[in-house]
Amino acid sequence: MSSRSSLAEKIDKAYELVKALSARANVPEVPVYEVDADFIVRAVRKLPRPEHLSILDGKYRTTTVDGFREIVRWDATNMRRYILDFWDCDNYAFRFKTNVESVYLINAIGYVVDLSVPECAHAYNIFVDNVGDVYVYEPQNDAIMTVNEARRDCKYRMEYFWVTI
């Protein structure tokens, strides 16, 4: 057996374990689709051009926008109390990304730092769904927005920003 197939088997076993644990923790099941990094890059290129784009994986798992809404309803990141400089926008965005990755093994969640308007500098998430559409997600209040809707607010202007996905 090659090391690649052995790794694939281990990943599948880990995914099955996560699903079993999720069932016990009342985690909603959502459809999961596997896509490659090129799919993610094509989706992110629909955004205004980021100053820096970090693609962290060669393969990605994603879900439908309705699946994403189910994940958002389940996740409690927004319940954490905001504490300036200790638990603020960057912490919410990073926590949400890692929660979804660790529980669902869905890694098509981006971490965005947007410095377009200095007085509105902000960190938030983006989500690439199974058809390649990109949504902006605000983990502090669970708002899911289209890119055009989000860009009306200075916090999500996407004129000078970084994406890690």
Side-chain angles (χ1 to χ4, degrees), residues 105-138:
L105 298 180
I106 290 175
N107 56 341
I109 306 289
Y111 177 82
V112 179
V113 176
D114 195 328
L115 304 173
S116 302
V117 180
E119 59 273 12
C120 296
H122 194 51
Y124 52 92
N125 300 106
I126 59 170
F127 166 69
V128 178
D129 74 3
N130 65 307
V131 296
D133 290 333
V134 180
Y135 295 86
V136 172
Y137 172 65
E138 176 53 68

Side-chain angles (χ1 to χ4, degrees), residues 28-39:
E29 193 166 322
V30 299
V32 176
Y33 302 87
E34 192 169 297
V35 297
D36 61 20
D38 289 337
F39 180 91

Side-chain angles (χ1 to χ4, degrees), residues 17-139:
L17 178 60
V18 166
K19 284 175 55 177
L21 290 172
S22 296
R24 293 192 63 168
N26 296 318
V27 175
E29 193 166 322
V30 299
V32 176
Y33 302 87
E34 192 169 297
V35 297
D36 61 20
D38 289 337
F39 180 91
I40 298 297
V41 169
R42 283 191 306 275
V44 172
R45 283 189 177 148
K46 295 175 187 175
L47 301 173
R49 184 184 172 125
E51 291 298 308
H52 185 74
L53 172 61
S54 297
I55 300 294
L56 301 178
D57 296 303
K59 291 186 179 181
Y60 285 80
R61 286 192 170 139
T62 188
T63 188
T64 62
V65 68
D66 288 334
F68 184 67
R69 285 187 180 102
E70 282 298 311
I71 291 169
V72 166
R73 276 192 279 279
W74 165 83
D75 181 76
T77 299
N78 64 311
M79 303 300 281
R80 183 82 183 222
R81 186 170 62 93
Y82 181 97
I83 304 170
L84 183 64
D85 292 327
F86 295 101
W87 187 268
D88 53 11
C89 61
D90 59 308
N91 304 102
Y92 282 92
F94 192 75
R95 174 73 178 266
F96 180 77
K97 177 177 176 46
T98 59
N99 280 355
V100 175
E101 289 175 351
S102 63
V103 173
Y104 287 93
L105 298 180
I106 290 175
N107 56 341
I109 306 289
Y111 177 82
V112 179
V113 176
D114 195 328
L115 304 173
S116 302
V117 180
E119 59 273 12
C120 296
H122 194 51
Y124 52 92
N125 300 106
I126 59 170
F127 166 69
V128 178
D129 74 3
N130 65 307
V131 296
D133 290 333
V134 180
Y135 295 86
V136 172
Y137 172 65
E138 176 53 68

